[in-house]
């Protein structure tokens, strides 16, 4: 069974630039999550989708972050414009029943 | 509200045991445990549900005290492969339509030495 795929794996941008991350969940997993993990901390949920609807985005900085999940499969997370404090690993996870979450390898973002 | 994990770090020799604690100020529906090795994604270890259902993993087990909103992860007869950072993720009671909405603790770094 293929795991959660993410791209790119690494991205370096300057502040005020924009960036987008892509996630392809495990086939059949209705729930998709985007997390931000700052070095030395636990993952922080940014947004949760159930199929193509948003279940929770209470911790998403909506003035600069946006996410969509078209057709209930792939998802993209965008940051525009980026700030220095956005430097982190962005993890995508998917789940079939809301129990085990399967994480992708993450995208390490460095904002200079 | 983020759960609180303790200790922050622990160093073990192979074969020794350790306990990692996770505490929340909110009433919990479930506690999830994940292990993350350096530079890798978190990997699911187990989930403990309100009511006592538990799914374990090899020689790693856990308990869930619903009254105290606390969970403990037990690393028994530790192996070198147990090294990594352990995170608890808590799901609050009363959250609807948000299966698996987790708040993660800051993590406990475990180092197992030969």
């Amino acid at each position: 069974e293929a795991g959660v795929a993410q791209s790119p794996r690494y991205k370096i941008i300057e502040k005020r630039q924009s960036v987008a991350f892509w996630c392809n969940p495990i086939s059949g997993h209705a729930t998709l999550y985007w997390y931000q993990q700052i070095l030395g901390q636990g993952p922080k949920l940014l947004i949760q989708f159930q199929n193509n609807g948003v279940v929770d985005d209470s911790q998403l900085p909506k003035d600069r972050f946006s996410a969509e999940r078209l057709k209930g499969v792939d998802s993209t997370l965008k940051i525009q414009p980026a700030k220095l404090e956005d430097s982190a690993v962005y993890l995508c996870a998917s789940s079939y029943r809301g129990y085990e979450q399967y994480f992708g390898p993450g995208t390490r973002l460095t904002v200079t | 509200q983020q759960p609180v994990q303790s200790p922050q770090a622990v160093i073990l020799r192979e074969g020794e045991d350790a306990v990692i604690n996770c505490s929340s100020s909110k009433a919990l529906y479930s506690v999830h445990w994940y292990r993350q090795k350096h530079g890798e994604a978190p990997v699911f270890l187990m989930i403990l549900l309100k009511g006592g259902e538990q799914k374990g993993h090899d020689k790693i087990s856990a308990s869930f005290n619903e009254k105290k909103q606390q969970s403990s992860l037990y690393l028994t007869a530790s192996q070198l492969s147990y090294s990594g950072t352990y995170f608890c993720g808590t799901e609050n009671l009363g959250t609807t339509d948000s299966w698996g909405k987790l708040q993660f603790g800051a993590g406990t770094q475990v180092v197992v030495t030969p």
Side-chain angles (χ1 to χ4, degrees):
Chain A
E1 177 182 77
V4 176
Q6 288 187 249
S7 67
R9 292 296 310 278
Y10 305 92
K11 190 74 177 178
I12 301 174
I13 62 173
E14 295 182 352
K15 59 184 179 183
R16 291 188 289 274
Q17 286 187 324
S18 63
V19 64
F21 312 126
W22 173 82
C23 173
N24 180 242
I26 292 174
S27 177
H29 283 194
T31 312
L32 185 146
Y33 314 82
W34 282 103
Y35 290 91
Q36 179 192 59
Q37 187 174 27
I38 293 172
L39 188 64
Q41 298 182 17
K44 172 189 170 184
L45 180 68
L46 293 175
I47 190 167
Q48 178 181 345
F49 292 95
Q50 185 73 16
N51 295 308
N52 60 347
V54 175
V55 173
D56 188 285
D57 63 357
S58 57
Q59 299 188 98
L60 186 74
K62 298 180 186 65
D63 58 333
R64 298 184 300 106
F65 286 64
S66 64
E68 61 181 6
R69 188 181 186 195
L70 299 176
K71 300 181 181 178
V73 183
D74 293 7
S75 177
T76 56
L77 176 70
K78 297 179 182 178
I79 307 175
Q80 182 179 9
K83 293 185 175 181
L84 295 176
E85 59 260 36
D86 297 333
S87 293
V89 175
Y90 290 84
L91 294 164
C92 177
S94 70
S95 175
Y96 175 63
R97 301 170 299 165
Y99 289 158
E100 304 98 299
Q101 294 187 22
Y102 295 86
F103 284 82
T107 296
R108 183 176 298 276
L109 174 67
T110 302
V111 182
T112 63
Chain B
Q1 186 89 18
Q2 185 182 29
V4 177
Q5 286 186 236
S6 64
Q8 285 187 313
V10 59
I11 300 176
L12 302 165
R13 289 184 183 268
E14 249 185 311
E16 290 183 339
D17 302 339
V19 180
I20 300 171
N21 298 304
C22 175
S23 174
S24 174
S25 60
K26 302 273 190 180
L28 299 177
Y29 171 71
S30 67
V31 180
H32 304 221
W33 286 95
Y34 287 80
R35 178 172 63 209
Q36 185 175 32
K37 293 184 181 283
H38 184 69
E40 299 180 8
V43 174
F44 173 82
L45 293 177
M46 68 179 60
I47 179 174
L48 300 104
L49 301 172
K50 180 177 170 60
E53 183 179 352
Q54 174 179 331
K55 297 183 180 181
H57 178 277
D58 199 14
K59 290 183 181 176
I60 299 175
S61 61
S63 63
F64 180 19
N65 186 325
E66 298 171 27
K67 290 183 179 180
K68 293 185 177 180
Q69 284 81 250
Q70 291 177 349
S71 177
S72 295
L73 186 74
Y74 305 96
L75 306 181
T76 305
S78 58
Q79 306 169 13
L80 295 176
S81 61
Y82 286 6
S83 292
T85 301
Y86 289 75
F87 294 99
C88 69
T90 55
E91 185 176 6
N92 293 340
L93 198 63
T95 52
T96 57
D97 300 324
S98 59
W99 275 1
K101 179 186 175 183
L102 300 179
Q103 299 274 5
F104 281 96
T108 296
Q109 186 176 12
V110 172
V111 176
V112 181
T113 62

